[in-house]
Amino acid sequence: ADAKYGTFKDDKKQEAEEVVFEWEAKAAPWYLFLNAAIIIGKNLAALLLLFWTLLRGPAAKKNLMHCNPMELTTFQVFGCEYTKAFMRAFPLLAGCVTLGIAMRV
């Protein structure tokens, strides 16, 4: 008398024993958040260390070359300024790439 049309009496047992697939378990919001945080955390720690060591630490002025146009040729000044700009922008660029990778995970 408990059975409805087109169902079995053991439907409640089947619902309780429902299989959770591996990909479904990995799609839980907290799992995705923690997985992205781990990926970002490792890379962010390395980038912050690089940023502090090269650009903000006590020896930051000594780490980058002084590009004096009176002492260097024009092409040397361009190369010098380019590498300094790259060193300043690299941690930010790498942080953006890391966030992009974490979004795809």
Side-chain angles (χ1 to χ4, degrees):
D2 289 336
K4 297 179 184 171
Y5 179 74
T7 62
F8 296 104
K9 291 182 183 180
D10 295 336
D11 274 349
K12 292 181 182 177
K13 288 182 184 176
Q14 289 176 353
E15 288 176 9
E17 296 175 6
E18 195 171 310
V19 177
V20 177
F21 296 103
E22 183 181 349
W23 63 268
E24 188 177 7
K26 289 183 177 181
W30 282 109
Y31 181 84
L32 292 173
F33 175 74
L34 289 175
N35 194 17
I38 289 170
I39 291 171
I40 291 172
K42 285 191 275 187
N43 291 338
L44 194 60
L47 290 172
L48 288 174
L49 181 65
L50 176 71
F51 179 75
W52 178 257
T53 303
L54 293 176
L55 302 174
R56 296 290 181 227
K61 296 279 185 190
K62 296 178 187 174
N63 289 333
L64 297 177
M65 182 177 164
H66 297 286
C67 304
N68 187 356
M70 297 300 194
E71 297 175 2
L72 302 172
T73 66
T74 303
F75 292 112
Q76 287 175 332
V77 171
F78 288 156
C80 179
E81 292 295 339
Y82 171 78
T83 55
K84 282 175 38 177
F86 184 80
M87 289 302 297
R88 288 186 179 120
F90 178 75
L92 181 60
L93 174 66
C96 292
V97 170
T98 300
L99 287 174
I101 290 170
M103 287 175 34
R104 296 191 52 93
V105 171

